[in-house]
Amino acid sequence: MLQIAICDDEPLLLAHIENQVRRCLEKQHILPDIRSYQNGGHLLYALEDGAFFDLVLADIEMPDLSGMELAKQIHKKLPAALIIFVTAHYKYAVDAYELNIFRYVPKDQLSGRLAHALLDAASIIETQRTDSYLIANQNRMERIPLKDILYLMREGKNCIFHMKNRTETIKIRKSLAEVYKELPDGDFVFIDRGCIVNLRHVCAVEHADCILTEHIRLPAAQSRLPDLKQKLNKFWSSRI
């Protein structure tokens, strides 16, 4: 199911866009779960309450909170979410590009361009799902790309995700063993009973240290070194 949010301050247009989105996706046998908002603030409140969206369609010029500011906040809450601006204001196209907006659809060309944008987005989201890890709990729901996971550490009964290009970590209430079973076989390996590394980011193994990108050095247990070296060699060989 595709989780979609639509935000526009014009009620009739909001209903029209929702109808277009539903019809387009259902034609392709894609089941959408659509939530509509007439105010960007209400959408942000939903995110604060744990709502998750794969795709957001929004107007740019809205009262109280513009689509541009809304997009910035969405990217902070849901970094992997795709955003499509549906708007009559062409002058914002360049700024929208700088915000890493997925697509820009003029309102007067909805029938011709919205369907293409939706199907392209659906294809990308499906790819993301097969190469991502879903974090879901009472306070958070997010798909994190596997390629962005550097390593995972045990902290009591929790698992801590250390991510590339993120200063903050992500904590979930699961054991390392549980998370390891949910990760793709061959890409991640235990280097210690309390640490799993992503082989995509391993640069070298020196003595009893596993060296990752971003100048990260993690101690590996002597008993784990043979398995680490074997899996790392296999991982590197498969990508030559």
Side-chain angles (χ1 to χ4, degrees):
M1 181 177 290
L2 209 58
Q3 306 289 335
I4 301 173
I6 304 174
C7 189
D8 196 298
D9 61 306
E10 301 178 42
L12 291 178
L13 183 58
L14 183 63
H16 176 63
I17 294 172
E18 179 176 344
N19 185 53
Q20 290 258 37
V21 170
R22 194 178 300 279
R23 288 175 58 191
C24 171
L25 294 176
E26 288 180 352
K27 271 186 184 179
Q28 300 298 318
H29 307 291
I30 299 171
L31 184 61
D33 180 10
I34 303 174
R35 300 189 201 179
S36 295
Y37 302 88
Q38 292 184 36
N39 182 295
H42 293 164
L43 173 51
L44 291 184
Y45 293 147
L47 293 179
E48 292 289 348
D49 287 340
F52 171 83
F53 301 107
D54 299 295
L55 175 65
V56 177
L57 293 87
D59 191 7
I60 292 180
E61 283 202 351
M62 295 184 291
D64 301 324
L65 186 70
S66 73
M68 307 291 279
E69 184 58 35
L70 177 62
K72 291 177 186 177
Q73 297 301 319
I74 291 170
H75 280 318
K76 289 179 182 178
K77 301 287 185 184
L78 301 173
L82 300 183
I83 299 176
I84 295 175
F85 275 151
V86 182
T87 181
H89 302 283
Y90 300 88
K91 63 182 178 180
Y92 295 109
V94 173
D95 292 334
Y97 178 80
E98 292 174 351
L99 279 172
N100 195 28
I101 300 303
F102 174 69
R103 199 63 56 86
Y104 180 89
V105 177
K107 288 183 177 179
D108 59 0
Q109 298 180 36
L110 274 180
S111 59
R113 295 177 60 175
L114 182 58
H116 291 293
L118 286 171
L119 296 181
D120 287 347
S123 177
I124 290 173
I125 291 165
E126 181 59 30
T127 300
Q128 289 176 340
R129 286 179 173 175
T130 59
D131 199 24
S132 65
Y133 183 85
L134 178 64
I135 291 177
N137 55 41
Q138 290 182 339
N139 302 315
R140 184 189 194 108
M141 191 169 185
E142 177 186 354
R143 286 193 179 276
I144 57 174
L146 295 177
K147 64 181 177 61
D148 290 346
I149 301 172
L150 292 169
Y151 62 100
L152 303 93
M153 296 288 290
R154 182 183 61 191
E155 184 183 272
K157 295 182 179 180
N158 300 313
C159 177
I160 309 298
F161 288 71
H162 293 259
M163 307 294 296
K164 181 179 179 182
N165 299 325
R166 286 199 196 186
T167 55
E168 76 279 8
T169 58
I170 300 172
K171 179 189 291 189
I172 63 172
R173 187 75 170 177
K174 282 186 179 181
S175 69
L176 275 183
E178 288 178 294
V179 174
Y180 183 73
K181 291 177 182 178
E182 296 168 347
L183 294 169
D185 186 42
D187 287 4
F188 293 83
V189 60
F190 274 97
I191 64 168
D192 185 87
R193 61 187 299 181
C195 183
I196 298 171
V197 297
N198 186 346
L199 292 177
R200 305 181 198 203
H201 296 291
V202 176
C203 300
V205 177
E206 291 183 358
H207 306 296
D209 285 346
C210 184
I211 301 171
L212 278 63
T213 53
E214 304 193 11
H215 309 290
I216 297 169
R217 184 182 287 264
L218 300 171
Q222 288 290 338
S223 60
R224 301 277 184 176
L225 284 174
D227 185 52
L228 169 61
K229 292 177 180 178
Q230 180 183 14
K231 289 183 177 178
L232 184 59
N233 183 58
K234 183 177 180 180
F235 181 86
W236 282 347
S237 298
S238 68
R239 281 153 178 79
I240 296 175

